[in-house]
Amino acid sequence: MPLWVELLIRIAGVVVAFLTLPLIVGQVEHKVMAHMQGRLGPMYAGAFHGWAQLVADGVKFVQKEDVTPRAADAPVFKLAPLVALVPYLLVLLVIPLGPGDLVAQPLDIGLFFVLAVVGVGVVAVLMSAWASANKYSLLGGLRGAAQLLGYELPLVLAAASVAMAAGTLSLPGIVEAWQPWWLIWQAPALAVFFIAALAEIRRPPFDMPIADSELVFGYMTEYTGLRFAFFLLAEYVGIVVISALTTVLFLGGWRGPFADDTLGWLWTLIKIFAVAFLIIWLRVSYPRLREDQLQRLCWLILVPVALAQLVLTAAVRLAI
């Protein structure tokens, strides 16, 4: 097969995953929240079990007027939703779905690349906040930036722990080095990574910068129509990416209970959707954190735990 054909197939696969998996997660969230909270609305659209709810939401966003505030910095305002989406698309390029060639672009420094690209999300927050020419958007953007910059540290420290344990920054290499007993040894790093990742994508209970009860809707206040839908899509793509990274780094990726890795891609997807379900469950179950509680959790709990886990990992690596 010519190289350019193989490259097109890999890119097409990533784009399909980028466009479909977040929609599946969004549909699942509608149903899970409807069942957990007794919501009737999402269960009626399209008659059978509300199958058309996501379609109805899409039609609603398309029909809404695309408004740009008169005082806004129009180019930056319009570009911000795309800047929020693109990093997640790039991350999906290096996440392995299974052993061998089931990764669009294997990189020896894949983990470093992922952490660097995910950090670009703060730029989209600041762009939308400043360009909106709205004081509530600006306040929400500053809160969001403080949250993202703060939780970057425990996220990186937790990921560094598992990379140190595996002895590589390659994501497929980490999966190959993974052992079941890591579920116990790296459990603190898993908890820190998962909590910090939730804060990075601003999912409840870490959604204070965009909570309508706090600051209208934060840095997204002035967005309507498809641009607002792009921000929501970025949130759901973020759920997929965080679930995939948690699976690859801490849950063994394509490794299943059997020695045969033929169905490795299936185990990866099962684990990704299991973690995504947990993220949805947390949204339904826990109240929103205040700004002081959010920062206290980051700096007084997650960072010390992540540092302690790094020391433990280094000690174990030296011992074995």
Side-chain angles (χ1 to χ4, degrees):
M1 180 184 298
L3 179 60
W4 66 271
V5 175
E6 181 180 355
L7 182 61
L8 285 178
I9 292 174
R10 290 174 181 268
I11 294 176
V14 171
V15 172
V16 169
F18 179 77
L19 295 176
T20 57
L21 292 180
L23 298 181
I24 295 174
V25 171
Q27 182 74 354
V28 170
E29 181 172 60
H30 276 102
K31 303 310 165 190
V32 170
M33 293 180 65
H35 283 292
M36 286 185 172
Q37 297 182 330
R39 296 185 177 191
L40 299 180
M43 307 305 290
Y44 280 89
F48 178 71
H49 207 66
W51 67 268
Q53 180 61 51
L54 205 63
V55 177
D57 287 342
V59 173
K60 175 186 68 176
F61 285 124
V62 170
Q63 290 179 333
K64 284 189 174 182
E65 183 181 2
D66 183 13
V67 178
T68 300
R70 182 180 302 173
D73 187 337
V76 178
F77 182 84
K78 296 176 180 179
L79 187 61
L82 295 179
V83 175
L85 274 173
V86 169
Y88 295 125
L89 176 60
L90 296 177
V91 169
L92 289 177
L93 288 171
V94 300
I95 293 180
L97 185 60
D101 293 332
L102 288 179
V103 56
Q105 181 57 56
L107 291 178
D108 291 337
I109 55 169
L111 181 57
F112 178 82
F113 173 81
V114 166
L115 295 176
V117 171
V118 169
V120 175
V122 68
V123 177
V125 171
L126 292 174
M127 287 173 64
S128 58
W130 179 259
S132 294
N134 181 308
K135 61 182 179 182
Y136 296 109
S137 295
L138 182 58
L139 287 173
L142 293 177
R143 284 186 176 184
Q147 177 174 319
L148 293 179
L149 292 174
Y151 279 86
E152 275 286 325
L153 181 57
L155 183 79
V156 171
L157 291 175
S161 174
V162 73
M164 183 186 298
T168 179
L169 289 173
S170 167
L171 295 180
I174 290 174
V175 176
E176 292 170 358
W178 183 87
Q179 299 296 328
W181 67 281
W182 285 20
L183 291 172
I184 299 175
W185 175 35
Q186 295 294 324
L190 168 58
V192 171
F193 183 88
F194 182 73
I195 294 172
L198 280 182
E200 284 291 304
I201 59 175
R202 298 165 296 284
R203 285 285 297 184
F206 303 100
D207 62 334
M208 185 271 301
I210 57 173
D212 51 0
S213 61
E214 295 282 339
L215 291 165
V216 189
F217 213 63
Y219 55 88
M220 294 190 290
T221 299
E222 299 292 350
Y223 283 90
T224 59
L226 283 178
R227 291 197 180 92
F228 181 75
F230 285 158
F231 273 117
L232 294 185
L233 179 61
E235 178 181 336
Y236 286 117
V237 179
I239 293 176
V240 173
V241 167
I242 294 306
S243 300
L245 288 175
T246 304
T247 296
V248 169
L249 295 177
F250 298 98
L251 302 180
W254 63 77
R255 307 279 289 276
F258 310 109
D260 186 13
D261 290 333
T262 305
L263 295 178
W265 61 270
L266 181 59
W267 287 113
T268 301
L269 290 177
I270 290 174
K271 293 175 184 178
I272 287 174
F273 281 106
V275 176
F277 175 81
L278 178 59
I279 293 174
I280 296 169
W281 181 31
L282 290 174
R283 173 178 181 174
V284 178
S285 304
Y286 286 91
R288 181 178 301 119
L289 296 179
R290 299 193 312 264
E291 173 68 13
D292 60 319
Q293 294 172 327
L294 189 144
Q295 296 295 342
R296 188 180 298 115
L297 173 64
C298 175
W299 295 105
L300 298 184
I301 298 179
L302 296 186
V303 170
V305 170
L307 289 172
Q309 178 66 41
L310 269 179
V311 173
L312 174 62
T313 300
V316 172
R317 287 285 296 175
L318 289 175
I320 60 177

